[in-house]
Amino acid sequence: LNVNADILNIRNGAASPSASGNSTTQHIAANTTNNQTIDVGTPRHPTGFATATVKIHNFAQLPHKKGESTDSPSFSVHGLDWYLRIHPGGAASANGDGMVSLYLRCKSAAEQNFSVQAEFSLALRRNDGRVDSMMSCPCNAFRRKRKGWPNFIGRDRILDRNSQLLDENGTLTVVVNVQLFHERDANFVPRNELNLFRLLREANAPNNEEEEEEDGEKSSTANTADVKFSVEGEILRAHRLILQLAAPTLAHLCEDAGEDEAVPIPGVRSPIFQGVLGFAYGKDVPEEVWTARGNSTTNDTNGSNSNIHSNNNNGSSILSSPSMELLDAANRFGVTNLKILAETKVAEYEISIATASDLILYADAKNCPLLKERVVDYYVSHAKEVRAHPSFQKVKESASILDELMEAVLSKRILRSFSNSENDVEYDTMGVNLLRRKLDMRGLDVDGSREMLVQRLRDWDAKKCVDAMLKASSSGER
């Protein structure tokens, strides 16, 4: 990300005291004898440096009494607004006279009163393109105060023609480099609101067992199941109404089935299907279902993209992972909350050089934007290795995915995991978890591709704007 802010108009600001900080955040790790790493607190993850070039025109004519300052217009770096303050004659805290002081301030953090952890450097660029007088600051918390140096450089040195720090028009160029440190992005998973698993348990009780109430009476909801599924030779019963609510695609499969007709479910292992069905009724998927692997020979008869069954270098399908099986089944049967939960697990643990190509094809085909986002990030860091793997040949067949990978490598994209304010609408710079949180807060659907999520938010904003205009118009008529 390169942001070039050519500043044509400089506004004068009042002098303010130095507020440079030197606090650092430490990450403590203990290595045990089996080479494990234990984190104390939450480790921060650097975004990589982004650059803004600030041009200060007519430097020699700026007010330069000690304490006088000039502020640049704000510029955007990592989705936040910043500005540079220069004291051409030195800040009040500068040692002696004749110094130039430079400070950086995060305008977004100051105005909205939140903390931003950042490392930054300020430097001057000479006419020959070389960097001069670079000063660096380790990780600091930006909130309301500025960070910088009261004794950045002597004024006489800037004005000296031999230093080549001013161009022929008297412009001083300051290069600002900023790197943020985020805590690990917490995955968004919608809550599973239903709690009807008792109905499913009753529907599938052995014939000689009947659910009883606490007083010993037979349950009033026993024998209410009205649909049957056949999975690997096993019969499982369910309720159409609940499926319509929590697994609409699965409900659609049995619309025309009679009560005595078992709807076949090919291509899914019975434990996986039972996990999906139980989740639709409000029960968490048992841990053993997440971890117990089956064989990878189930037939794909559900119209899935053939790419998802390609083999990695171990000869096994990417769907041989239980998390992938649950993700695929939840997507197939319309259990959105489980799909997102499984997607977070796959994105967390399943991405490797051997699986990256197959996973990005799968994520693109099945509208799994978080998984796609994480695979793209992985590709940026491991491009050479991923491209060398045989499975990358299939990625080459998709021009759109190749373009997306190339764009990510060239731009070194940084997607935000935090929102600058309630009115933050810079959706293109947000990560999928943040987009889904915003959709959930508005009561909107959180499933779909990244493009669908962004468009949904923009449509909601547009509707809100129209509603506000109509309300204002009707109030004016009264």
Side-chain angles (χ1 to χ4, degrees), residues 438-454:
K438 285 187 169 290
L439 287 164
D440 187 61
M441 290 173 59
R442 291 159 173 76
L444 301 174
D445 185 7
V446 296
D447 191 22
S449 67
R450 176 184 176 84
E451 293 74 19
M452 293 167 66
L453 303 184
V454 170

Side-chain angles (χ1 to χ4, degrees), residues 231-278:
V231 188
E232 292 189 323
E234 189 173 359
I235 299 298
L236 299 170
R237 296 171 175 82
H239 303 77
R240 297 174 191 266
L241 182 61
I242 294 173
L243 296 181
Q244 289 171 2
L245 178 65
T249 310
L250 183 58
H252 179 70
L253 289 177
C254 53
E255 279 183 351
D256 300 325
E259 288 190 22
D260 296 328
E261 178 185 353
V263 179
I265 303 294
V268 183
R269 292 191 296 123
S270 181
I272 296 297
F273 185 77
Q274 290 182 52
V276 174
L277 199 58

Side-chain angles (χ1 to χ4, degrees), residues 254-442:
C254 53
E255 279 183 351
D256 300 325
E259 288 190 22
D260 296 328
E261 178 185 353
V263 179
I265 303 294
V268 183
R269 292 191 296 123
S270 181
I272 296 297
F273 185 77
Q274 290 182 52
V276 174
L277 199 58
F279 192 93
Y281 277 75
K283 184 177 184 290
D284 291 339
V285 177
E287 185 61 30
E288 59 268 22
V289 177
W290 288 107
T291 57
R293 290 179 177 267
N295 62 54
S296 57
T297 60
T298 52
N299 295 323
D300 177 33
T301 59
N302 61 11
S304 298
N305 188 319
S306 59
N307 282 327
I308 68 175
H309 292 278
S310 55
N311 294 336
N312 58 26
N313 59 344
N314 295 320
S316 61
S317 164
I318 60 169
L319 287 184
S320 63
S321 154
S323 296
M324 278 298 300
E325 288 184 275
L326 284 163
L327 169 57
D328 197 55
N331 180 69
R332 174 179 169 185
F333 301 126
V335 187
T336 299
N337 291 6
L338 178 57
K339 173 187 175 181
I340 292 176
L341 174 59
E343 183 187 5
T344 64
K345 291 181 178 290
V346 173
E348 193 77 20
Y349 303 113
E350 304 287 343
I351 302 173
S352 66
I353 291 170
T355 63
S357 296
D358 291 329
L359 286 177
I360 196 169
L361 291 169
Y362 179 90
D364 185 68
K366 303 296 183 179
N367 287 334
C368 299
L370 178 67
L371 178 57
K372 188 175 182 181
E373 179 181 292
R374 297 287 173 82
V375 176
V376 171
D377 290 342
Y378 184 87
Y379 177 84
V380 170
S381 303
H382 304 81
K384 183 177 180 180
E385 297 91 339
V386 173
R387 289 178 63 86
H389 194 273
S391 61
F392 191 74
Q393 294 300 318
K394 296 184 293 295
V395 177
K396 291 181 178 180
E397 298 173 8
S398 173
S400 61
I401 294 180
L402 280 178
D403 286 346
E404 191 168 346
L405 292 174
M406 182 65 70
E407 173 67 21
V409 170
L410 294 177
S411 68
K412 301 189 186 308
R413 68 171 193 175
I414 302 295
L415 297 176
R416 293 184 289 131
S417 59
F418 61 92
S419 189
N420 298 332
S421 69
E422 292 183 1
N423 298 321
D424 184 4
V425 294
E426 295 184 23
Y427 302 128
D428 289 337
T429 66
M430 295 180 185
V432 169
N433 279 318
L434 181 55
L435 292 172
R436 282 174 167 166
R437 286 192 184 92
K438 285 187 169 290
L439 287 164
D440 187 61
M441 290 173 59
R442 291 159 173 76

Side-chain angles (χ1 to χ4, degrees), residues 70-85:
T70 298
D71 290 350
S72 76
S74 62
F75 50 90
S76 179
V77 176
H78 290 309
L80 300 173
D81 289 334
W82 307 75
Y83 70 85
L84 192 70
R85 172 166 292 182

Side-chain angles (χ1 to χ4, degrees), residues 17-48:
S18 167
S20 63
N22 58 2
S23 63
T24 60
T25 300
Q26 296 186 4
H27 166 64
I28 305 171
N31 289 323
T32 62
T33 56
N34 61 349
N35 200 30
Q36 294 182 357
T37 299
I38 294 87
D39 296 319
V40 179
T42 304
R44 291 189 171 89
H45 298 262
T47 60

